[in-house]
Amino acid sequence: MSRTAQGARARARIEVTAAIKEEARRQLADEGAAKLSLRAVARELGMVSSALYRYFPSRDDLLTALIIDAYDSLGERAETAHAAVVAGAGAGTGADAAEPAAPAGPVERWVAVCEAVRGWALAHPHEYALIYGSPVPGYHAPESTVPAAARVGLLLIGIVRDAHQGPGLAELPLPAELRAEAERIAADLAPDLPPAAAAALVAAWAELYGLVGFELFGQFHRVVEDREPFFRHAVTRLALGVGLRPPQDDPR
């Protein structure tokens, strides 16, 4: 087979794969992940089921692809927001733009990442529900989803690590009965961080997605109305809870 023919077949496969995923996302929005059906996807695309199975051998394979795409999209949004706030803080402002501004502080970087997570979730509610909503009955995510799922967490760990290695972290309380578990968490996730900070990071990660989920799934209805400043305040408190110092407390 010629390279031209091989290239055409590869492009066709990419296009068909994208169409399958797009139709599957539409079904997620209409029916939910539990009712996702390869036969229904094939029918809507005018394909026979046997043809679709050449792209995704099972419903679980299609779900896994959608989950990885969602995690990667979320991770890219968070990483882009973080890079923008870091670059913006160092670009310099005012009449003498040649003089760089102070680097973005850890709390500012943390809040930028958290706000990016919220923004992505509000723009992609059904994909957010797929990765952080109710588990899909009978589906067990394979190890291949882990790298994409870890992107936001690793970004937040990196912010805390930079603060620990730079201005330092505020001292955090650690109950005696939690010390062994905190040390295990630190060994698994961030061996260079104090155990108290590692444990606080896991709690903050869960609280971040709890805040986003409460807003997305309606639990804030008639409770929190001005949600953007409320979210910013809440995630700033999370930043302080993992030991990040507010700008006025930075010893530099």
Side-chain angles (χ1 to χ4, degrees):
M1 182 183 297
S2 70
R3 290 185 179 180
T4 300
Q6 288 178 333
R9 289 188 62 178
R11 287 193 298 273
R13 185 173 184 84
I14 290 170
E15 291 172 1
V16 174
T17 300
I20 292 169
K21 289 180 178 179
E22 188 60 32
E23 174 57 27
R25 292 188 187 100
R26 190 192 65 77
Q27 289 193 19
L28 288 180
D30 290 347
E31 303 288 344
K35 293 185 178 180
L36 181 64
S37 162
L38 287 183
R39 289 184 179 275
V41 170
R43 182 173 60 250
E44 291 299 321
L45 293 176
M47 299 173 64
V48 295
S49 298
S50 58
L52 191 145
Y53 291 141
R54 292 200 293 268
Y55 295 85
F56 296 100
S58 70
R59 180 209 67 162
D60 285 3
D61 290 309
L62 178 54
L63 270 177
T64 295
L66 296 177
I67 287 168
I68 291 173
D69 283 355
Y71 276 130
D72 275 333
S73 177
L74 172 59
E76 182 178 357
R77 176 77 168 264
E79 290 161 2
T80 298
H82 180 258
V85 77
V86 170
T93 58
D96 186 8
E99 171 125 3
V107 173
E108 183 182 1
R109 293 165 58 194
W110 175 282
V111 170
V113 170
C114 293
E115 289 185 326
V117 169
R118 174 179 178 265
W120 183 89
L122 294 177
H124 303 85
H126 304 295
E127 288 157 275
Y128 183 89
L130 175 64
I131 56 178
Y132 288 115
S134 299
V136 180
Y139 174 78
H140 301 283
E143 287 294 317
S144 59
T145 62
V146 172
R151 288 173 69 167
V152 173
L154 290 175
L155 195 56
L156 294 175
I157 289 172
I159 293 169
V160 176
R161 177 180 291 117
D162 288 348
H164 179 53
Q165 295 174 349
L169 298 172
E171 186 172 348
L172 300 174
L174 183 63
E177 64 268 23
L178 184 58
R179 175 159 294 279
E181 177 64 5
E183 290 174 348
R184 185 198 63 76
I185 290 171
D188 285 348
L189 299 181
D192 52 340
L193 290 181
L201 264 166
V202 173
W205 176 80
E207 290 165 31
L208 166 62
Y209 289 105
L211 283 165
V212 173
F214 259 52
E215 179 175 0
L216 196 64
F217 303 136
Q219 283 90 345
F220 280 156
H221 180 58
R222 300 183 66 179
V223 177
V224 179
E225 297 300 332
D226 199 359
R227 293 170 185 170
E228 186 171 339
F230 176 85
F231 181 84
R232 186 177 300 114
H233 172 72
V235 297
T236 299
R237 289 180 61 85
L238 292 182
L240 303 182
V242 299
L244 301 182
R245 299 176 185 270
Q248 62 270 25
D249 291 346
D250 192 327
R252 286 178 296 178

